[in-house]
Amino acid sequence: DPRSEKFWDKYLEFEATQQDQARVQALLERVIAIPLIASDKFWEGLKRHVASYPPQGESVETLMEKWEGVHKATTAVRDARAVFESRIKRTYFHVQPLDERELQAWREYLADAIKQAQEGSPGAQDVRRLFDRCLVACCNYSEFWTMYMSYLTTTGDPDAALAVGRRAIAIGPTGNVEIISAVARHCEFQGDAAAARELHVKLQADGLVRGVIGLANFERRQNDPAAAKQAYQTGIEQLTDTKAKAFVFAHYARYLALCCGDAEGC
């Protein structure tokens, strides 16, 4: 987190109390490679530390020249991200919704990070860290969960994408149709029809129109007309709203006529 300065301060305080100056130096070197908002402070801290406790086996000039390059590169990344960081006010979870301006800031921030990663900077791990940060504040917004899944899938890590989807179902918006449907599609595309079917059945059992149609379409894609018909019939029986029943029945009739050649069954 670019705002995690105080945590690093406490870590440095602890290491200082241990009187192990090599570990203090190593920690300062580690921090200045992270694009924190307060990275300049830690750079100054490294310079003071090295002046007071010169390293063994390496000249101060050589050491500082090396880490000055790291600091400049880190500062460049920090400054490039500042335009997005300045627009994000809430980095923690809260039940109150975020305003549209802040949601848009996250969208643009993530899109820029993905674009930069495709061009070689930052790395994929930085993009994942940004998504994980985003999902603390935006936990209740399915679009960011599905965006993360899509990113992981397109970058060749479908297992990580599924893990994110499972996490979304567990801690994201309760009963969110978008998320459950996205995970079901992911499982289907990865060849795990059983897992996909389980999720579609869950949505159908919840009495959702989209769940009924989703399960029927899934079974159609599995080339199982009998299962598709059963999904429609079961769904129609479960639905209590008259308009919902009529809507699903219209889909069922269209399926019978176009996919099964059973116009009379309509």
Side-chain angles (χ1 to χ4, degrees):
D1 189 324
R3 298 176 173 87
S4 59
E5 167 195 357
K6 292 183 179 179
F7 292 100
W8 291 105
D9 283 338
K10 291 296 182 183
Y11 195 173
L12 284 163
E13 287 176 16
F14 168 76
E15 291 294 2
T17 62
Q18 306 305 302
Q19 300 297 313
D20 188 337
Q21 304 308 327
R23 286 180 64 87
V24 174
Q25 179 182 322
L27 184 56
L28 283 164
E29 291 170 350
R30 177 181 169 189
V31 178
I32 66 169
I34 301 171
L36 301 177
I37 292 173
S39 61
D40 291 335
K41 180 182 81 171
F42 295 105
W43 169 241
E44 294 300 323
L46 178 62
K47 290 195 288 187
R48 289 193 301 271
H49 182 83
V50 170
S52 300
Y53 305 98
Q56 301 294 318
E58 185 177 15
S59 71
V60 171
E61 292 76 13
T62 301
L63 178 73
M64 296 312 296
E65 182 178 351
K66 177 180 70 175
W67 287 103
E68 184 176 15
V70 173
H71 174 60
K72 286 181 178 178
T74 301
T75 301
V77 173
R78 179 201 64 189
D79 293 346
R81 296 176 180 177
V83 64
F84 301 109
E85 290 290 342
S86 64
R87 295 166 59 192
I88 294 170
K89 308 304 178 186
R90 189 201 296 174
T91 58
Y92 53 89
F93 174 77
H94 198 284
V95 293
Q96 292 296 323
L98 290 162
D99 63 48
E100 181 57 30
R101 289 174 298 179
E102 196 152 350
L103 292 172
Q104 186 60 25
W106 277 116
R107 293 183 192 111
E108 293 176 11
Y109 198 174
L110 289 164
D112 181 75
I114 292 170
K115 178 175 178 291
Q116 294 297 326
Q118 290 169 343
E119 296 173 356
S121 178
Q125 284 301 118
D126 289 330
V127 178
R128 294 190 185 199
R129 291 189 192 101
L130 184 60
F131 266 111
D132 286 333
R133 276 187 65 210
C134 169
L135 288 170
V136 173
C138 303
C139 180
N140 283 336
Y141 295 87
S142 59
E143 66 175 286
F144 296 104
W145 289 103
T146 55
M147 188 189 303
Y148 195 6
M149 288 182 64
S150 176
Y151 167 73
L152 292 168
T153 301
T154 56
T155 53
D157 198 345
D159 290 341
L162 179 59
V164 167
R166 295 293 188 189
R167 180 155 57 102
I169 292 173
I171 68 174
T174 303
N176 188 279
V177 179
E178 283 290 339
I179 291 176
I180 297 174
S181 296
V183 178
R185 286 194 301 272
H186 177 82
C187 291
E188 181 181 353
F189 294 154
Q190 296 303 316
D192 191 347
R197 181 177 288 107
E198 180 182 347
L199 292 165
H200 282 299
V201 168
K202 172 179 171 55
L203 288 176
Q204 184 200 48
D206 288 341
L208 298 171
V209 168
R210 182 169 174 179
V212 175
I213 296 173
L215 176 59
N217 285 337
F218 166 77
E219 296 296 3
R220 175 179 57 80
R221 291 192 297 273
Q222 300 303 306
N223 297 313
D224 192 340
K229 290 178 182 179
Q230 185 62 49
Y232 276 120
Q233 292 166 5
T234 301
I236 291 169
E237 290 175 3
Q238 290 176 337
L239 292 170
T240 57
D241 182 80
T242 303
K243 290 182 178 180
K245 277 180 178 288
F247 183 78
V248 174
F249 197 86
H251 272 264
Y252 185 26
R254 185 173 184 274
Y255 169 74
L256 290 173
L258 298 180
C259 299
C260 300
D262 185 12
E264 293 183 1
C266 299

